[in-house]
Amino acid sequence: MARRIQPPSGPSQETKGPGGFIDDLAAALTPGQVAVDEPTRTAHAADQGPVLDLQLPLAVVFVESVEDVQHVVRSCAKHGVPIVARGAGTGVSGGAHASRGCIVLSLERMNRILQLNADDETAVVEPGVVNADLNAAAAEFGLMYAPDPASYKMSTIGGNVATNAGGLRCAKYGVTRDSVLALDVVLADGSLIHTGHQTFKGVAGYDLTSLFVGSEGTLGVVVGVTVRLRYLPREVHTVAAFYPDFRGAAAGVLAVGKARVQPAIMEMLDAGTLAQLDELYGSDLGERGQALLLIQTDGFGAAAEASLVREVLAAGGASVTAESNAEAERLIDMRRSSRGDEADTEYRVGEDVAVPRSRLVDYVAALEDMAVTHDVQLKVVAHAGDGNLHPTFWVDRVDMHVDADAMSRLNKALDDSIDAALEMGGTITGEHGVGQYKLRWLGLEQPGPVRELQHRVKELFDPSGIFNPGKAI
């Protein structure tokens, strides 16, 4: 079994790097780009994932150009200082947690859309561009950037690339890697390379672009992204199907698949999630059922596909509603916030497993049994179209403290959820990445020789090990 969660240690009080490092770092930058004050370092010390070892970075560097990034990388390489690249900090696996003695390289100011070619259906953006802003710009040309993580209103394209982020539309359009054509990357010696191609097809040489996508900042710093855009659907239909239990909703997913309909979005929400949404928005979802299957079809055939989906789900015992456009959009927006605003902590952890769709019913049943066995609370949302589930386990606190027994039960539930997913042919992370937090389970999925190959790739690109040490692999 995996290591258990340990309470986070106190933050490092180290504020000075190697001799002359901060001065060297600031020499080629403007005032305000290098922050060493404690509030800024604290605000950038972690993403939204559970913190196992809280560290304050030596500094937070707000780069504004490719040249800035190259200077920072060269300075860090010279002084042996680790670099943790950061976008908006919306990740939930600890991939952007500060490491001891590191600087945090904030890319949020590199937020320009450099090109948007409607005829080629491509865009070139800096890493700090917010996902929603790219979509708004593309929409003016009848296009969209398909990957849409739940945090799309604040997450950056660079962060999406780092984790190979997914989202609600993955069922039809795939994950971030499926929309990235080319990358500009600063390597560990400060040099700049361009990988990939401007065309939709291209197979020359090894696919280094795909290697960098999902590498979680461990191989280089992405400073430019060429993405493929898709057609903005002219028509969208949403079907809401309420079930008496979550397992019934999972069966509905398989029924839609057997009907050979390809929804753009197919999401499942359990009773706990519906109750949370009702509390947040004053809705009555929990009164309409104990589980919700939310399906959206798009394109010129959206109406016909939605009609067939309604028939299939109703035949399976669901209470199917034909939502108005306003209600449909509201349901989708509510789903995007269904994990809540609270970051994962040592007592509340949202998982990110994926299983073959044929095992969804089995896995949901296993999760519910785990919650009872280990006496922990559970709620589940799922990108059901591709088998990616987000179960959240938590235990109650008393006066802001969690006793050791409750923590032990929580950890056993988390371990069991991972073991069950792997036994069913699944994976420990469908879209959030390994980061720091999920390293404990990586060895259960990937055997030693495979992990060793990955470490050799890491050594090739980053021989001194300065890029995001202790993460991803």
Side-chain angles (χ1 to χ4, degrees):
M1 298 297 288
R3 289 190 296 112
R4 306 302 185 187
I5 300 175
Q6 299 296 326
S9 61
S12 167
Q13 297 302 311
E14 183 179 8
T15 59
K16 295 182 181 180
F21 168 65
I22 297 297
D23 291 339
D24 190 16
L25 196 63
L29 302 173
T30 60
Q33 284 188 264
V34 180
V36 295
D37 61 285
E38 187 167 331
T40 301
R41 292 187 297 127
T42 300
H44 291 78
D47 59 26
Q48 295 184 15
V51 178
L52 303 179
D53 180 27
L54 181 61
Q55 300 288 333
L56 293 188
L58 301 179
V60 180
V61 185
F62 298 93
V63 289
E64 299 175 1
S65 67
V66 174
E67 292 75 19
D68 285 353
V69 175
Q70 291 179 290
H71 165 69
V72 172
V73 170
R74 287 169 181 148
S75 296
C76 288
K78 174 183 175 182
H79 292 276
V81 174
I83 299 170
V84 176
R86 177 187 172 100
T90 59
V92 293
S93 63
H97 286 356
S99 303
R100 179 177 294 275
C102 80
I103 62 107
V104 168
L105 181 70
S106 172
L107 296 149
E108 62 188 277
R109 295 184 186 177
M110 293 183 65
N111 58 4
R112 295 179 300 163
I113 298 175
L114 302 176
Q115 297 178 26
L116 203 161
N117 191 318
D119 290 334
D120 289 339
E121 300 161 21
T122 63
V124 181
V125 303
E126 292 183 324
V129 170
V130 172
N131 185 298
D133 292 342
L134 175 57
N135 261 297
E140 296 181 15
F141 299 93
L143 299 168
M144 69 175 182
Y145 177 61
D148 65 331
S151 59
Y152 80 106
K153 292 182 179 179
M154 64 190 82
S155 65
T156 62
I157 300 298
N160 295 169
V161 168
T163 59
N164 191 24
L168 276 66
R169 290 194 292 242
C170 285
K172 184 172 183 177
Y173 297 102
V175 295
T176 297
R177 181 177 285 119
D178 299 306
S179 290
V180 174
L181 299 175
L183 294 172
D184 298 304
V185 184
V186 173
L187 300 180
D189 62 356
S191 61
L192 177 68
I193 64 169
H194 179 81
T195 72
H197 37 79
Q198 308 302 117
T199 55
F200 294 165
K201 297 172 71 174
V203 294
Y206 291 148
D207 188 357
L208 295 181
T209 302
S210 291
L211 176 62
F212 280 110
V213 177
S215 62
E216 302 188 47
T218 62
L219 301 180
V221 180
V222 172
V223 292
V225 187
T226 302
V227 299
R228 176 179 183 175
L229 303 176
R230 309 280 180 163
Y231 300 134
L232 192 64
R234 295 292 184 91
E235 192 173 355
V236 174
H237 286 258
T238 300
V239 178
F242 290 88
Y243 289 83
D245 58 57
F246 200 49
R247 300 183 197 186
V253 172
L254 299 182
V256 171
K258 290 177 181 178
R260 299 301 181 247
V261 176
Q262 180 60 76
I265 292 175
M266 186 183 294
E267 301 290 306
M268 292 196 307
L269 297 82
D270 75 347
T273 303
L274 297 182
Q276 178 192 48
L277 292 176
D278 286 343
E279 183 177 351
L280 286 173
Y281 297 102
S283 53
D284 63 348
L285 300 177
E287 297 177 7
R288 300 160 73 177
Q290 293 300 296
L292 170 62
L293 180 56
L294 188 60
I295 295 178
Q296 190 174 89
T297 59
D298 67 1
F300 289 105
E305 290 180 330
S307 177
L308 179 55
V309 166
R310 290 189 183 95
E311 292 179 13
V312 169
L313 298 183
S319 174
V320 183
T321 61
E323 309 294 339
S324 65
N325 286 338
E327 175 69 5
E329 289 303 315
R330 185 166 183 258
L331 285 172
I332 294 294
D333 285 341
M334 289 167 68
R335 160 61 187 95
R336 291 186 189 280
S337 64
S338 58
R339 287 192 77 248
D341 296 328
E342 186 177 12
D344 288 344
T345 66
E346 71 274 14
Y347 67 91
R348 176 188 182 277
V349 180
E351 265 305 329
D352 168 44
V353 299
V355 298
R357 268 199 342 184
S358 62
R359 302 304 302 273
L360 272 174
V361 177
D362 298 331
Y363 191 66
V364 168
L367 288 173
E368 293 176 341
D369 290 343
M370 290 170 206
V372 173
T373 298
H374 299 298
D375 189 21
V376 297
Q377 299 187 65
L378 168 72
K379 67 183 183 73
V380 185
V381 297
H383 304 304
D386 51 24
N388 186 193
L389 300 99
H390 298 309
T392 296
F393 293 101
W394 75 97
V395 292
D396 291 328
R397 296 178 296 177
V398 178
D399 297 326
M400 301 302 292
H401 296 288
V402 179
D403 63 49
D405 177 67
M407 290 298 295
S408 176
R409 289 186 280 107
L410 175 63
N411 276 284
K412 289 177 181 177
L414 290 168
D415 282 345
D416 284 357
S417 72
I418 293 294
D419 289 341
L422 293 174
E423 288 169 4
M424 294 181 190
T427 177
I428 66 172
T429 174
E431 61 181 3
H432 293 163
V434 174
Q436 179 191 79
Y437 183 73
K438 305 201 80 166
L439 277 174
R440 63 183 66 193
W441 295 307
L442 186 58
L444 300 178
E445 177 173 341
Q446 296 187 336
V450 171
R451 296 188 71 185
E452 175 60 25
L453 282 173
Q454 293 176 84
H455 282 283
R456 289 166 63 184
V457 170
K458 163 75 169 172
E459 291 169 6
L460 175 65
F461 281 91
D462 181 21
S464 297
I466 64 171
F467 285 138
N468 213 10
K471 314 287 178 58
I473 59 170

